[in-house]
């Protein structure tokens, strides 16, 4: 059996195992209520626009407006979640969403809700979601054991998709009987429930950061980690290839319901409910699927299933057939994205987890937001059927690329923190803000080991750049053919101290130890500080 995973001795874990932890269970149920409210709000917003001129573009813009803030704000939100108390951040964001939902309710009830204002308030909801997602996903590893992280990720998706099944159905009934305003009012109640659950949660060990990173430095560090992590980039690429064509289904389904199938709001709710049921089944079946095929095999199968759904929805006008086609699409959607999300959570080190997951949310939201806008334009210009056929063809092409850009193999990758660098002993203690700092590491390597040493240092280069280095280079001394000098530039002394004190992992240690095994004796390390800082003796030495 071939599979991806972060633990060398992975054991099957029940999909429901995390719910045995009371704190996680209570927050999961509260989040489920918030997710139900979110889907009700989305259906209500789309239904308000269904009879407007250029409805195809406006309806698609509801999804764009809700997801664009995630694209713009997720990385700053991740930096905030890594630097401050995540519980307090989540509580205040939910209260902000309550205020927005109340405003939406009152304006809709009084008939003062033009499309532009509706999209603006939908954007405000998106801002709240952008601030919520990185903090919540970074909290999950603190609530459940590591071996239950994939199950917890699947439960998070089950929550979203149970809400996708229940929310639209409830919204459809309410819209048909009472109008859209009560739907928005229930959304306000749902966010309030989540805020109260967070307020009742009292973490046993409050997470604290002794010296929080400066905001801009934290942003740069998060972006630098992702940019220099081939594994994270591969996971993001796989998600994007699936999301862009897949977004056509979510963006254009309201128009399929009304224009092709002749359904009212209740019928549209039924379509979304079937998608949600398929997604819930996918979350429950994910542990079983992982034991029977590799993740890359399933990427191919899921892509073909979703492409088939897009083609059926775009060409068939028979409601039962469309409902049957939506079921495997929901299953494929959730299993692909849950797997990618869980791999991200397992791989990312704790110091950058929220920022790394925020980048995943940027890709998730950006792929859907851009895709929804593009497919809405294609539908307006060439028709619904053409848009779905084009999306289906793109999905098929993307699924084939899973054999070219497969998910990375993470089994055996040691992501646990490793503090193995020696204690710094300098002539003076620099101000943490001093920078940039130039670090020189000199190795003595026999000529016959030179080629192997160069190859080993490529892994060291990645480690240095992921954990703080802005620039990196490896040079050979002209006066001594057996001496190599590694040079890397770190933004500040504080950044370099963080390399010493918690950013490195077991995988980084293994890469560095391999390079040092090829050298004769321990390397000599020097730290060069800016002369303009007014320091003397800036050329400090240590023996590693």
């Amino acid at each position: 059996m071939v599979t991806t995973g972060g633990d060398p001795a992975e054991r099957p874990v029940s999909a429901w195992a995390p719910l045995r932890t009371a704190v996680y269970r209570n927050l999961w149920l509260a989040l489920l209520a918030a997710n139900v409210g979110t889907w009700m709000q989305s259906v209500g917003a789309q239904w308000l626009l269904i009879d407007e001129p250029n409805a195809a573009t406006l309806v698609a813009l509801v999804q764009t407006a809700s997801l664009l803030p995630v694209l713009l704000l997720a990385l700053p939100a991740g930096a905030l979640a890594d630097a401050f108390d995540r519980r307090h951040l989540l509580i205040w964001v939910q209260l902000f969403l309550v205020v927005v939902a109340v405003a939406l309710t009152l304006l809709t009830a009084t008939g003062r809700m033009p499309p532009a204002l509706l999209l603006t308030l939908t954007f405000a909801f998106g801002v709240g979601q952008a601030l919520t997602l990185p903090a919540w996903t970074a909290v999950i590893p603190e609530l459940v054991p590591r071996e239950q992280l994939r199950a917890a990720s699947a439960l998070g998706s089950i929550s979203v998709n149970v809400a996708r099944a229940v929310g639209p159905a409830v919204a459809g009934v309410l819209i048909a009987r009472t109008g859209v305003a009560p739907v928005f009012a229930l959304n306000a109640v749902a966010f309030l429930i989540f805020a109260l659950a967070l307020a009742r949660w009292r973490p046993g060990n409050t997470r604290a950061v002794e010296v929080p990173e400066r905001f801009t430095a934290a942003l740069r560090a998060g972006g630098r980690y992702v940019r220099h992590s081939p594994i994270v980039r591969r996971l993001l690429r796989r998600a994007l290839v699936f999301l862009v064509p897949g977004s056509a289904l979510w963006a254009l389904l309201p128009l399929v319901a009304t224009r092709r199938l002749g359904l009212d709001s209740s019928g549209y709710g039924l379509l979304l409910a079937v998608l949600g049921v398929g997604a819930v089944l996918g979350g429950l079946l994910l542990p079983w699927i992982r034991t029977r095929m590799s993740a890359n095999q399933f990427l191919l199968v899921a892509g073909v299933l979703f492409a088939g759904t897009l083609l059926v929805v775009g060409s068939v006008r028979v409601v039962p057939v469309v409902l049957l086609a939506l079921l495997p699409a929901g299953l494929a959607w959730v299993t692909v994205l849950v797997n990618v999300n869980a791999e991200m959570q397992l791989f990312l080190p704790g110091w950058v987890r929220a920022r790394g997951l925020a980048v995943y949310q940027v890709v998730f939201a950006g792929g859907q937001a851009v895709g929804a806008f593009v497919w809405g334009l294609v539908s307006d210009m060439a028709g619904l059927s053409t848009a779905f056929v084009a999306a289906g063809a793109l999905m098929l092409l993307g699924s084939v690329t899973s054999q070219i850009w497969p998910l990375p193999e993470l089994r055996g990758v040691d992501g646990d923190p490793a503090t193995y660098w020696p204690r710094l002993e300098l002539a003076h203690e620099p101000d943490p803000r001093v920078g940039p700092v130039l670090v020189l590491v000199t190795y003595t390597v026999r000529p016959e080991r030179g080629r192997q040493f160069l190859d080993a240092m490529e892994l060291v280069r990645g480690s240095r750049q992921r954990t703080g280095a802005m620039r990196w280079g490896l040079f050979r001394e002209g006066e001594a053919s057996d001496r190599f000098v590694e040079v890397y530039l770190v933004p500040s002394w504080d950044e370099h101290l963080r390399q010493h004190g918690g950013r490195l992992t077991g995988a980084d240690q293994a890469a560095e130890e391999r390079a040092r095994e090829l050298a004769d004796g321990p390397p000599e390390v020097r730290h060069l500080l800016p002369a303009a800082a007014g320091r003397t003796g800036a050329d400090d030495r240590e023996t590693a």
Side-chain angles (χ1 to χ4, degrees):
M1 178 187 70
V2 181
T3 184
T4 61
D7 298 319
E10 188 177 358
R11 296 287 186 272
V13 175
S14 167
W16 306 108
L19 293 179
R20 299 188 188 112
T21 302
V23 172
Y24 178 82
R25 180 175 64 249
N26 294 337
L27 290 172
W28 184 85
L29 289 171
L31 183 62
L32 175 61
N35 286 334
V36 170
T38 298
W39 273 100
M40 292 175 65
Q41 188 273 335
S42 180
V43 170
Q46 289 177 323
W47 209 257
L48 280 180
L49 298 171
I50 204 72
D51 294 322
E52 296 286 336
N54 300 316
T57 300
L58 286 174
V59 168
L61 280 175
V62 170
Q63 186 172 353
T64 301
S66 62
L67 295 175
L68 187 60
V70 180
L71 179 64
L72 299 175
L73 300 176
L75 191 53
L80 289 173
D82 276 334
F84 298 105
D85 186 289
R86 291 166 183 158
R87 172 176 165 270
H88 289 157
L89 177 63
L90 287 168
I91 290 172
W92 284 109
V93 170
Q94 305 320 301
L95 293 177
F96 164 75
L97 291 172
V98 170
V99 172
V100 175
V102 169
L104 192 59
T105 302
L106 295 176
L107 290 170
T108 301
T110 56
R112 301 176 180 178
M113 186 55 67
L117 181 57
L118 176 62
L119 292 174
T120 300
L121 291 175
T122 301
F123 185 87
F125 275 116
V127 170
Q129 293 298 317
L131 295 171
T132 297
L133 289 170
W136 171 249
T137 52
V139 159
I140 292 174
E142 302 173 16
L143 300 175
V144 300
R146 179 179 174 84
E147 64 271 13
Q148 294 181 8
L149 273 179
R150 286 193 182 89
S153 180
L155 281 171
S157 183
I158 287 173
S159 171
V160 170
N161 289 288
V162 166
R164 181 177 286 143
V166 174
V170 173
V173 172
L174 282 177
I175 290 170
R177 296 187 178 183
T178 64
V180 176
V183 171
F184 296 154
L186 285 177
N187 189 31
V189 174
F191 285 124
L192 184 59
I193 290 172
F194 190 33
L196 292 174
L198 288 164
R200 290 185 61 190
W201 170 38
R202 293 291 185 270
N205 294 313
T206 303
R207 186 184 69 95
V209 180
E210 291 183 4
V211 183
E213 290 182 77
R214 287 175 295 168
F215 183 71
T216 53
L219 281 179
R220 294 191 193 102
R224 192 161 49 238
Y225 183 90
V226 171
R227 187 166 63 252
H228 295 293
S229 175
I231 289 176
V232 172
R233 293 201 312 272
R234 178 67 62 85
L235 289 168
L236 295 176
R237 187 184 301 126
R238 288 304 336 157
L240 190 62
V241 166
F242 184 80
L243 284 165
V244 171
S247 64
L249 184 61
W250 305 107
L252 302 177
L253 197 58
L255 300 176
V256 172
T258 56
R259 296 184 181 180
R260 293 186 58 82
L261 301 178
L263 299 175
D264 60 9
S265 61
S266 299
Y268 172 51
L270 178 62
L271 297 179
L272 286 176
V274 172
L275 268 172
V277 169
V280 170
L281 288 175
L284 296 175
L285 291 174
L286 185 59
W288 180 85
I289 291 171
R290 288 178 60 85
T291 64
R292 282 159 177 79
M293 66 176 70
S294 73
N296 292 302
Q297 288 170 342
F298 185 74
L299 279 178
L300 179 60
V301 173
V304 172
L305 285 174
F306 206 99
T309 295
L310 290 170
L311 295 175
V312 169
V313 171
S315 59
V316 175
R317 294 177 179 268
V318 181
V319 174
V321 174
V322 172
L323 289 173
L324 287 174
L326 290 175
L327 196 64
L331 187 149
W333 178 270
V334 77
T335 46
V336 168
L337 296 178
V338 161
N339 196 58
V340 173
N341 181 269
E343 295 299 310
M344 288 281 290
Q345 289 194 41
L346 286 166
F347 175 74
L348 288 167
W351 70 270
V352 76
R353 183 177 293 125
R355 282 165 282 183
L357 291 169
V359 174
Y360 170 78
Q361 295 298 336
V362 168
V363 171
F364 182 84
Q368 291 188 84
V370 173
F373 180 68
V374 169
W375 299 123
L377 290 179
V378 172
S379 177
D380 270 342
M381 293 186 294
L384 269 175
S385 294
T386 301
F388 275 99
V389 169
L394 188 60
M395 179 65 79
L396 279 174
L397 180 62
S399 65
V400 172
T401 65
S402 64
Q403 310 307 304
I404 304 172
W405 298 324
L407 286 175
E409 175 59 64
L410 301 184
R411 185 178 298 278
V413 176
D414 185 358
D416 292 333
T419 304
Y420 60 93
W421 282 6
R423 179 185 177 88
L424 286 166
E425 296 181 1
L426 305 183
H428 57 82
E429 185 62 31
D431 188 303
R433 294 168 296 178
V434 167
V437 176
L438 189 66
V439 183
L440 290 80
V441 187
T442 303
Y443 304 85
T444 301
V445 181
R446 298 175 190 174
E448 62 270 19
R449 295 180 177 177
R451 183 71 261 170
Q452 291 176 285
F453 178 76
L454 292 176
D455 293 339
M457 289 301 291
E458 279 300 302
L459 295 178
V460 174
R461 174 185 61 82
S463 171
R464 304 284 198 242
Q465 291 178 318
R466 285 191 299 274
T467 57
M470 300 186 298
R471 298 284 187 274
W472 184 92
L474 182 64
F475 303 88
R476 188 194 296 265
E477 285 191 10
E479 293 78 13
S481 62
D482 63 345
R483 289 175 67 82
F484 291 83
V485 181
E486 177 194 7
V487 181
Y488 61 95
L489 190 69
V490 185
S492 67
W493 184 246
D494 175 68
E495 198 90 6
H496 187 56
L497 290 177
R498 293 180 188 277
Q499 287 182 308
H500 272 266
R503 288 189 175 180
L504 298 169
T505 66
D508 297 318
Q509 182 176 7
E512 200 165 339
E513 286 178 350
R514 171 58 181 159
R516 294 187 177 199
E517 287 171 358
L518 296 168
D520 293 335
E524 179 187 20
V525 182
R526 295 191 297 168
H527 301 85
L528 304 184
L529 306 172
R535 305 290 186 179
T536 59
D539 184 346
D540 297 301
R541 296 171 182 265
E542 74 175 66
T543 300

